[in-house]
Amino acid sequence: MRSFEAINYSLRPNKNVERKLIARILNTIGKNARFDWRDYRYLGLGSMWFVDFIMMHKSIGINELVTIEKEHSRAKRVSFNAPYSCVEVKIGMSTSVLRELSWDNRTIAWLDYDDVLRPYMFDDLNEIIVKSTTGNVVMLSVNAEAAQLSITENDEIVDPMTVLKGLVNATYIPTDAEKRLSKNQFPALLGEIMFNFMKSSVLNTATGLDFFPLFNFAYSDGSKMVTYGGMIVDTNDERIVKGLSLQSSFEFFAHHEQFEIQVPQLTFKEKLELDKRMPCAVAPKPEDLPFELKPSEIEAYRMFYQDYPMYGEFHP
Protein backbone atom coordinates (compact mmCIF):
# COMPACT_ATOMS: atom_id res chain seq x y z
CA MET A 1 0.00 0.00 0.00
CA ARG A 2 1.30 3.44 -0.91
CA SER A 3 1.71 5.90 1.97
CA PHE A 4 -0.93 8.30 0.65
CA GLU A 5 -3.42 5.42 0.74
CA ALA A 6 -2.61 4.68 4.38
CA ILE A 7 -2.23 8.20 5.79
CA ASN A 8 -4.47 11.24 5.59
CA TYR A 9 -1.71 13.82 5.72
CA SER A 10 -4.09 16.56 6.84
CA LEU A 11 -5.06 14.75 10.05
CA ARG A 12 -1.77 14.54 11.95
CA PRO A 13 -1.80 17.14 14.76
CA ASN A 14 1.94 17.22 15.41
CA LYS A 15 2.75 17.42 11.71
CA ASN A 16 0.10 20.12 11.42
CA VAL A 17 1.78 22.14 14.16
CA GLU A 18 5.20 21.59 12.58
CA ARG A 19 4.03 23.16 9.32
CA LYS A 20 2.72 26.17 11.19
CA LEU A 21 5.98 26.64 13.10
CA ILE A 22 7.86 26.53 9.80
CA ALA A 23 5.44 29.14 8.44
CA ARG A 24 6.05 31.38 11.47
CA ILE A 25 9.78 31.46 10.87
CA LEU A 26 9.42 31.88 7.10
CA ASN A 27 6.95 34.73 7.54
CA THR A 28 9.34 36.50 9.89
CA ILE A 29 12.20 36.13 7.41
CA GLY A 30 9.89 37.20 4.57
CA LYS A 31 9.31 40.60 6.16
CA ASN A 32 12.73 41.55 4.82
CA ALA A 33 12.42 42.61 1.18
CA ARG A 34 15.48 40.55 0.32
CA PHE A 35 13.40 37.42 0.94
CA ASP A 36 10.09 38.20 -0.75
CA TRP A 37 8.60 34.69 -0.93
CA ARG A 38 6.19 35.80 -3.68
CA ASP A 39 9.19 35.67 -6.03
CA TYR A 40 10.09 32.14 -4.95
CA ARG A 41 9.14 28.68 -6.14
CA TYR A 42 8.00 25.95 -3.76
CA LEU A 43 9.17 22.44 -4.58
CA GLY A 44 7.72 19.55 -2.61
CA LEU A 45 6.13 16.12 -2.54
CA GLY A 46 2.44 17.01 -2.46
CA SER A 47 1.09 13.45 -2.75
CA MET A 48 -2.75 13.50 -2.94
CA TRP A 49 -3.19 15.90 -0.06
CA PHE A 50 -1.06 18.98 -0.88
CA VAL A 51 -1.29 20.23 2.70
CA ASP A 52 2.13 21.90 2.62
CA PHE A 53 1.36 23.39 -0.80
CA ILE A 54 -1.79 25.04 0.53
CA MET A 55 0.23 26.52 3.39
CA MET A 56 2.98 27.77 1.08
CA HIS A 57 0.42 29.43 -1.21
CA LYS A 58 -2.02 30.84 1.36
CA SER A 59 0.27 31.62 4.31
CA ILE A 60 3.61 32.29 2.63
CA GLY A 61 2.37 33.76 -0.67
CA ILE A 62 4.18 31.56 -3.18
CA ASN A 63 2.46 31.30 -6.57
CA GLU A 64 4.81 28.89 -8.34
CA LEU A 65 4.44 25.41 -6.89
CA VAL A 66 5.95 22.17 -8.21
CA THR A 67 5.15 18.71 -6.87
CA ILE A 68 7.01 15.50 -7.65
CA GLU A 69 5.05 12.26 -7.76
CA LYS A 70 6.81 8.96 -8.44
CA GLU A 71 3.69 6.87 -9.08
CA HIS A 72 2.95 7.00 -12.82
CA SER A 73 -0.22 5.00 -12.16
CA ARG A 74 -1.60 7.87 -10.05
CA ALA A 75 -0.71 10.77 -12.36
CA LYS A 76 -4.35 11.70 -13.11
CA ARG A 77 -5.28 11.48 -9.43
CA VAL A 78 -2.43 13.77 -8.37
CA SER A 79 -3.35 16.33 -11.03
CA PHE A 80 -7.03 16.11 -10.07
CA ASN A 81 -6.24 16.85 -6.42
CA ALA A 82 -3.87 19.75 -7.11
CA PRO A 83 -5.58 22.57 -5.19
CA TYR A 84 -4.54 25.47 -7.45
CA SER A 85 -3.92 26.11 -11.13
CA CYS A 86 -0.40 27.24 -10.23
CA VAL A 87 0.59 23.72 -9.11
CA GLU A 88 2.77 21.96 -11.69
CA VAL A 89 2.87 18.16 -11.41
CA LYS A 90 6.10 16.38 -12.33
CA ILE A 91 5.78 12.60 -12.62
CA GLY A 92 8.88 10.47 -12.08
CA MET A 93 11.46 9.47 -9.54
CA SER A 94 12.53 12.48 -7.51
CA THR A 95 16.21 12.05 -8.41
CA SER A 96 15.42 12.19 -12.15
CA VAL A 97 12.94 15.07 -11.88
CA LEU A 98 15.32 17.18 -9.80
CA ARG A 99 18.03 16.80 -12.43
CA GLU A 100 15.67 17.97 -15.18
CA LEU A 101 14.19 20.98 -13.37
CA SER A 102 15.32 24.50 -14.19
CA TRP A 103 16.67 26.44 -11.25
CA ASP A 104 16.21 30.02 -12.48
CA ASN A 105 14.08 31.05 -9.50
CA ARG A 106 15.03 30.94 -5.87
CA THR A 107 13.32 28.00 -4.23
CA ILE A 108 11.96 26.68 -0.97
CA ALA A 109 12.37 22.90 -1.30
CA TRP A 110 10.90 20.43 1.19
CA LEU A 111 11.69 16.76 0.64
CA ASP A 112 9.00 15.56 3.04
CA TYR A 113 9.53 11.81 2.91
CA ASP A 114 7.53 9.55 5.23
CA ASP A 115 9.77 6.56 4.55
CA VAL A 116 12.72 5.25 6.55
CA LEU A 117 16.17 6.59 5.72
CA ARG A 118 17.43 5.74 2.22
CA PRO A 119 20.63 6.84 0.42
CA TYR A 120 18.66 8.41 -2.45
CA MET A 121 17.21 10.96 -0.02
CA PHE A 122 20.65 12.48 0.51
CA ASP A 123 21.31 12.26 -3.24
CA ASP A 124 18.11 14.27 -3.83
CA LEU A 125 19.07 16.78 -1.18
CA ASN A 126 22.52 17.22 -2.68
CA GLU A 127 21.01 17.64 -6.15
CA ILE A 128 18.97 20.57 -4.82
CA ILE A 129 21.81 22.14 -2.87
CA VAL A 130 24.37 22.09 -5.69
CA LYS A 131 21.89 23.94 -7.93
CA SER A 132 20.84 26.43 -5.28
CA THR A 133 21.87 29.99 -4.81
CA THR A 134 21.91 32.23 -1.78
CA GLY A 135 18.47 32.66 -0.24
CA ASN A 136 17.22 29.17 -1.10
CA VAL A 137 15.64 27.14 1.70
CA VAL A 138 16.00 23.34 1.89
CA MET A 139 14.25 20.92 4.25
CA LEU A 140 14.33 17.15 4.66
CA SER A 141 11.87 14.99 6.64
CA VAL A 142 12.42 11.27 7.25
CA ASN A 143 11.30 8.49 9.54
CA ALA A 144 13.49 8.53 12.66
CA GLU A 145 12.59 5.22 14.29
CA ALA A 146 15.76 3.55 15.57
CA ALA A 147 14.20 0.18 14.75
CA GLN A 148 15.04 0.76 11.06
CA LEU A 149 18.66 -0.06 11.97
CA SER A 150 17.69 -3.50 13.32
CA ILE A 151 17.96 -5.91 10.43
CA THR A 152 19.12 -9.48 9.92
CA GLU A 153 21.03 -11.03 7.05
CA ASN A 154 21.43 -14.79 6.70
CA ASP A 155 19.75 -15.20 10.10
CA GLU A 156 22.37 -13.00 11.79
CA ILE A 157 21.76 -9.58 13.34
CA VAL A 158 23.65 -6.85 11.50
CA ASP A 159 25.49 -4.28 13.64
CA PRO A 160 23.28 -1.12 13.67
CA MET A 161 26.30 1.12 12.99
CA THR A 162 27.06 -0.93 9.89
CA VAL A 163 23.47 -0.43 8.77
CA LEU A 164 23.69 3.32 9.37
CA LYS A 165 26.95 3.59 7.43
CA GLY A 166 25.23 1.79 4.57
CA LEU A 167 22.62 4.55 4.48
CA VAL A 168 24.77 7.62 5.10
CA ASN A 169 28.38 8.38 4.18
CA ALA A 170 30.43 7.93 7.37
CA THR A 171 31.80 11.46 6.88
CA TYR A 172 28.52 12.89 8.16
CA ILE A 173 28.08 10.55 11.14
CA PRO A 174 29.23 12.00 14.51
CA THR A 175 32.03 10.13 16.24
CA ASP A 176 29.81 9.32 19.25
CA ALA A 177 26.99 7.92 17.08
CA GLU A 178 27.38 4.35 18.33
CA LYS A 179 26.21 5.48 21.78
CA ARG A 180 23.18 7.29 20.33
CA LEU A 181 21.35 4.57 18.42
CA SER A 182 18.63 4.05 21.03
CA LYS A 183 14.98 4.84 20.35
CA ASN A 184 15.17 8.07 22.36
CA GLN A 185 18.51 9.35 21.06
CA PHE A 186 18.37 8.40 17.37
CA PRO A 187 16.12 11.34 16.28
CA ALA A 188 18.63 13.91 17.60
CA LEU A 189 21.50 11.95 16.03
CA LEU A 190 19.65 11.97 12.71
CA GLY A 191 19.15 15.73 12.98
CA GLU A 192 22.88 16.16 13.52
CA ILE A 193 23.66 13.94 10.53
CA MET A 194 21.31 16.04 8.37
CA PHE A 195 23.04 19.23 9.53
CA ASN A 196 26.49 17.79 8.79
CA PHE A 197 25.36 16.75 5.31
CA MET A 198 23.68 20.07 4.45
CA LYS A 199 26.57 22.14 5.80
CA SER A 200 29.20 20.10 3.95
CA SER A 201 27.20 19.99 0.73
CA VAL A 202 26.73 23.77 0.71
CA LEU A 203 30.39 24.48 1.52
CA ASN A 204 31.41 22.20 -1.35
CA THR A 205 28.98 23.86 -3.79
CA ALA A 206 30.51 27.29 -4.21
CA THR A 207 32.96 29.60 -2.54
CA GLY A 208 31.27 32.15 -0.32
CA LEU A 209 28.13 30.13 0.47
CA ASP A 210 27.26 28.69 3.87
CA PHE A 211 24.33 26.88 5.49
CA PHE A 212 22.20 28.64 8.10
CA PRO A 213 20.03 26.18 10.16
CA LEU A 214 16.40 27.16 10.74
CA PHE A 215 14.45 23.99 11.61
CA ASN A 216 15.26 20.89 13.67
CA PHE A 217 12.01 19.21 14.70
CA ALA A 218 11.12 15.77 16.02
CA TYR A 219 7.51 14.70 16.31
CA SER A 220 5.32 11.63 16.23
CA ASP A 221 1.81 11.00 14.98
CA GLY A 222 2.52 7.26 15.05
CA SER A 223 6.10 6.89 13.84
CA LYS A 224 8.87 9.20 15.06
CA MET A 225 9.86 11.70 12.37
CA VAL A 226 12.57 14.33 12.04
CA THR A 227 12.57 17.48 9.91
CA TYR A 228 15.79 19.43 9.42
CA GLY A 229 16.28 22.48 7.23
CA GLY A 230 17.78 25.87 6.72
CA MET A 231 18.81 28.56 4.28
CA ILE A 232 21.76 28.68 1.91
CA VAL A 233 23.37 32.06 2.48
CA ASP A 234 26.18 34.27 1.31
CA THR A 235 27.77 36.71 3.72
CA ASN A 236 25.17 39.42 3.11
CA ASP A 237 22.14 37.15 3.50
CA GLU A 238 23.62 35.56 6.60
CA ARG A 239 24.00 39.00 8.14
CA ILE A 240 20.37 39.82 7.34
CA VAL A 241 18.98 36.57 8.79
CA LYS A 242 21.14 36.80 11.89
CA GLY A 243 19.87 40.34 12.38
CA LEU A 244 16.30 39.03 12.69
CA SER A 245 17.18 37.49 16.09
CA LEU A 246 15.16 34.38 15.35
CA GLN A 247 16.87 32.58 18.21
CA SER A 248 15.39 34.93 20.80
CA SER A 249 11.95 35.07 19.16
CA PHE A 250 11.34 31.35 18.63
CA GLU A 251 12.30 28.74 21.20
CA PHE A 252 11.79 26.10 18.51
CA PHE A 253 14.43 27.70 16.26
CA ALA A 254 17.14 25.26 15.12
CA HIS A 255 20.00 27.00 16.90
CA HIS A 256 18.64 25.50 20.09
CA GLU A 257 18.74 21.72 20.49
CA GLN A 258 16.32 19.56 18.50
CA PHE A 259 12.80 20.66 19.36
CA GLU A 260 10.21 17.95 19.98
CA ILE A 261 6.63 18.75 19.05
CA GLN A 262 4.34 16.61 21.19
CA VAL A 263 0.91 18.18 21.37
CA PRO A 264 -1.68 15.84 22.95
CA GLN A 265 -4.62 14.21 21.23
CA LEU A 266 -7.64 16.12 22.58
CA THR A 267 -11.38 15.89 22.16
CA PHE A 268 -13.16 19.06 21.11
CA LYS A 269 -14.58 19.37 24.64
CA GLU A 270 -11.14 19.03 26.21
CA LYS A 271 -9.73 21.64 23.85
CA LEU A 272 -12.45 24.11 24.77
CA GLU A 273 -11.75 23.55 28.46
CA LEU A 274 -8.05 24.22 28.01
CA ASP A 275 -8.72 27.23 25.79
CA LYS A 276 -10.62 28.89 28.65
CA ARG A 277 -7.29 29.01 30.49
CA MET A 278 -5.20 30.37 27.60
CA PRO A 279 -3.06 32.37 27.23
CA CYS A 280 -1.07 31.77 30.39
CA ALA A 281 2.57 32.13 31.36
CA VAL A 282 2.53 28.90 33.39
CA ALA A 283 0.70 25.75 32.32
CA PRO A 284 -2.30 24.71 34.47
CA LYS A 285 -1.63 21.92 36.93
CA PRO A 286 -3.09 18.50 36.05
CA GLU A 287 -5.10 18.44 39.30
CA ASP A 288 -6.84 21.68 38.26
CA LEU A 289 -8.31 20.09 35.14
CA PRO A 290 -11.54 18.08 35.07
CA PHE A 291 -9.79 15.32 33.07
CA GLU A 292 -6.41 13.58 33.10
CA LEU A 293 -3.43 14.93 31.16
CA LYS A 294 0.30 14.69 31.76
CA PRO A 295 2.11 17.92 32.75
CA SER A 296 4.16 17.64 29.54
CA GLU A 297 0.96 17.42 27.48
CA ILE A 298 -0.51 20.50 29.13
CA GLU A 299 2.71 22.44 28.62
CA ALA A 300 2.83 21.43 24.96
CA TYR A 301 -0.73 22.63 24.49
CA ARG A 302 0.04 25.91 26.31
CA MET A 303 2.88 26.54 23.87
CA PHE A 304 0.97 25.76 20.69
CA TYR A 305 -2.73 26.15 21.47
CA GLN A 306 -3.01 28.81 18.74
CA ASP A 307 -1.68 26.28 16.21
CA TYR A 308 -3.59 23.24 17.46
CA PRO A 309 -5.82 21.80 14.72
CA MET A 310 -9.33 20.47 15.22
CA TYR A 311 -11.04 18.10 12.83
CA GLY A 312 -14.68 17.33 12.35
CA GLU A 313 -17.13 15.53 10.14
CA PHE A 314 -19.64 17.59 8.25
CA HIS A 315 -22.96 16.40 6.87
CA PRO A 316 -23.89 18.75 4.02
Side-chain angles (χ1 to χ4, degrees), residues 148-295:
Q148 65 186 282
L149 303 178
S150 300
I151 65 172
T152 58
E153 287 184 358
N154 300 322
D155 296 327
E156 291 188 2
I157 298 174
V158 181
D159 173 39
M161 270 303 294
T162 302
V163 177
L164 183 60
K165 289 178 180 176
L167 298 170
V168 186
N169 188 309
T171 306
Y172 310 113
I173 301 176
T175 54
D176 63 346
E178 196 158 6
K179 303 175 183 175
R180 302 167 60 191
L181 300 179
S182 65
K183 178 179 179 180
N184 292 333
Q185 296 185 76
F186 185 61
L189 172 64
L190 194 50
E192 193 171 337
I193 290 172
M194 290 178 178
F195 167 75
N196 291 341
F197 182 90
M198 293 182 190
K199 178 90 172 177
S200 177
S201 187
V202 172
L203 291 177
N204 290 329
T205 295
T207 302
L209 292 182
D210 203 347
F211 178 71
F212 190 87
L214 296 172
F215 318 106
N216 184 9
F217 296 122
Y219 62 92
S220 175
D221 292 305
S223 297
K224 180 70 76 176
M225 303 291 295
V226 164
T227 295
Y228 201 97
M231 180 180 282
I232 297 166
V233 291
D234 61 13
T235 304
N236 184 54
D237 285 344
E238 183 176 23
R239 178 185 56 78
I240 293 172
V241 178
K242 280 185 174 178
L244 297 174
S245 301
L246 298 170
Q247 189 169 359
S248 58
S249 301
F250 302 109
E251 57 189 295
F252 48 84
F253 180 58
H255 278 243
H256 301 283
E257 294 182 352
Q258 186 173 72
F259 189 87
E260 181 155 11
I261 305 168
Q262 45 184 349
V263 294
Q265 297 280 354
L266 298 173
T267 67
F268 184 58
K269 195 172 181 181
E270 290 166 346
K271 181 183 185 305
L272 291 180
E273 179 63 32
L274 286 168
D275 282 346
K276 294 176 186 173
R277 303 160 192 262
M278 303 293 153
C280 56
V282 179
K285 296 178 181 177
E287 56 268 30
D288 293 335
L289 297 178
F291 50 87
E292 300 86 359
L293 279 180
K294 298 175 184 176

